[in-house]
Amino acid sequence: MTQSAEPILQVRDLKIDFSADQGILPVLRGLSYSLPKGRVLGVVGESGSGKTVHALSILRLLPPAARISGGEILYKGRNLASMGEEELRSVRGDKISMIFQDPSASLNPVLTVGEQLTETLLAHRKLSKRQARREAVALLEKVGISEAEKRLDEYPFQFSGGMCQRVMIAMALALSPDVLIADEPTTALDVTIQAQILALIKQLQRQSGMSAVFITHNLAVVSGIADDVLVLYAGLCMELAPAAQLFENPFHPYTQGLLSSLASVHKKEDVLPVITGHPPVPGQILTGCPFAPRCPHAFDKCRRECPPLFEEAARRTRCWLREGK
């Protein structure tokens, strides 16, 4: 994974717990990575692996039952995990922005699109309402919405799902952030619109030079947008590698299983391979490697001890099979 002298975002040994009736449930168990300027990190894994919780923690948008119990989230060296609320507000939206999973649920149905876009601009920039409206028109045009001046006065219900997601992208990019967090931004869209949104995000990211964390359960989606890929399982990083290397030669058995289960136009298979079993539930006490119960290569040591992240050139892999490589 390519590193810069001073990464714009660093997550160091991040731990997140949830309070529940049955006690404290660990969801993230010590996640670490660095995000260099201008790079896109894809974070992938099955549902329940901790992807969205990790994303929400960066801007401290976790639900009330969740808390950061350890580690640091560093933006340009400043720890967001311990930052005061007033200081954090100056970072949210301005320096780090987020696109959420469901655009229809994220937009306020009783405010026009223009009101929601200009609200962001007026809150962080010294602009008149007229200037903010001009900026909002330019933003809608930038994300490919035609008749932008007219559509500013329309409400979210008058937009399709794909158009709502374009509006969310415009809002996220309104203040030219250094880091964009995209949490499953195409999940609710059909395949054609999904491809358009992915191409738009990649194009805007390259034009602006911003960094991005792109979260998805779909490796096929991340292959077209990420420079590096982090594979998350049971709140732990299983593999972290440059995207091209990971897709060409995945090291971890979990990554191999995810890739083998993808449908391909080049292979005719009646039944796609699947990873047997289920991920551990949040809070489950883990002994050994969390993937061992599902791993076809597991041996005794895997069941007794959780492996560290073994480093090999630009790659990291949490698997005893990589020991001594």
Side-chain angles (χ1 to χ4, degrees):
M1 182 175 174
T2 303
Q3 302 289 340
S4 65
E6 187 178 344
I8 198 163
L9 182 70
Q10 286 181 289
V11 174
R12 293 181 177 173
D13 197 28
L14 181 63
K15 298 181 177 70
I16 297 176
D17 297 337
F18 273 65
S19 297
D21 293 339
Q22 57 269 51
I24 302 299
L25 309 180
V27 175
L28 279 189
R29 303 169 191 262
L31 179 65
S32 299
Y33 65 81
S34 295
L35 179 65
K37 182 173 175 56
R39 302 280 289 185
V40 178
L41 174 69
V43 180
V44 301
E46 293 168 286
S47 297
S49 61
K51 303 186 303 297
T52 293
V53 167
H54 141 260
L56 294 173
S57 72
I58 294 174
L59 288 175
R60 300 251 301 277
L61 297 174
L62 290 167
R67 69 183 182 97
I68 297 174
S69 57
E72 298 177 311
I73 304 166
L74 302 176
Y75 164 69
K76 292 186 174 180
R78 300 154 64 195
N79 188 8
L80 302 176
S82 60
M83 190 176 285
E85 190 62 33
E86 185 174 343
E87 188 180 4
L88 189 61
R89 275 197 295 269
S90 69
V91 175
R92 286 190 190 127
D94 192 356
K95 306 301 182 184
I96 305 177
S97 287
M98 188 165 181
I99 305 171
F100 296 93
Q101 289 187 24
D102 186 350
S104 301
S106 301
L107 292 169
N108 191 325
V110 301
L111 296 178
T112 66
V113 164
E115 287 173 313
Q116 295 180 66
L117 263 173
T118 56
E119 179 183 32
T120 301
L121 293 163
L122 292 170
H124 291 270
R125 296 286 186 265
K126 294 180 179 179
L127 299 174
S128 66
K129 288 186 177 181
R130 181 175 294 180
Q131 289 171 324
R133 184 176 175 87
R134 282 202 298 267
E135 288 277 344
V137 170
L139 283 165
L140 288 189
E141 290 174 343
K142 189 174 184 178
V143 298
I145 294 180
S146 58
E147 299 182 282
E149 179 79 41
K150 172 189 171 185
R151 305 220 68 174
L152 274 185
D153 298 317
E154 295 179 350
Y155 291 85
F157 75 86
Q158 295 174 278
F159 288 68
S160 66
M163 288 295 105
C164 282
Q165 194 59 286
R166 289 174 185 266
V167 171
M168 290 299 298
I169 294 170
M171 292 174 68
L173 299 180
L175 303 174
S176 302
D178 293 324
V179 179
L180 175 68
I181 303 167
D183 181 21
E184 303 267 15
T186 60
T187 297
L189 307 175
D190 66 51
V191 175
T192 303
I193 303 301
Q194 182 182 91
Q196 293 174 5
I197 295 298
L198 289 172
L200 175 63
I201 292 174
K202 187 66 175 176
Q203 175 193 345
L204 295 172
Q205 182 268 330
R206 284 175 172 164
Q207 288 174 351
S208 65
M210 68 181 171
S211 305
V213 179
F214 192 95
I215 294 160
T216 180
H217 63 280
N218 190 335
L219 272 167
V221 167
V222 86
S223 67
I225 198 166
D227 299 302
D228 306 289
V229 180
L230 187 156
V231 181
L232 197 60
Y233 185 83
L236 285 171
C237 172
M238 294 288 109
E239 186 164 2
L240 176 59
Q245 293 182 29
L246 183 134
F247 281 95
E248 182 179 345
N249 182 25
F251 282 175
H252 199 284
Y254 179 54
T255 313
Q256 294 166 6
L258 290 176
L259 285 171
S260 67
S261 64
L262 294 177
S264 171
V265 295
H266 304 294
K267 294 186 292 184
K268 292 184 178 180
E269 296 176 301
D270 293 330
V271 180
L272 286 172
V274 296
I275 302 174
T276 58
H278 302 281
V281 297
Q284 181 178 333
I285 296 174
L286 302 176
T287 302
C289 173
F291 187 62
R294 307 174 70 191
C295 180
H297 307 292
F299 50 97
D300 287 345
K301 190 174 184 179
C302 303
R303 300 180 183 92
R304 292 195 313 267
E305 301 176 46
C306 184
L309 278 169
F310 294 105
E311 297 199 22
E312 303 173 56
R315 306 181 67 159
R316 299 178 195 169
T317 314
R318 191 181 300 277
C319 182
W320 288 118
L321 295 173
R322 307 308 303 179
E323 186 178 22
K325 296 289 186 180

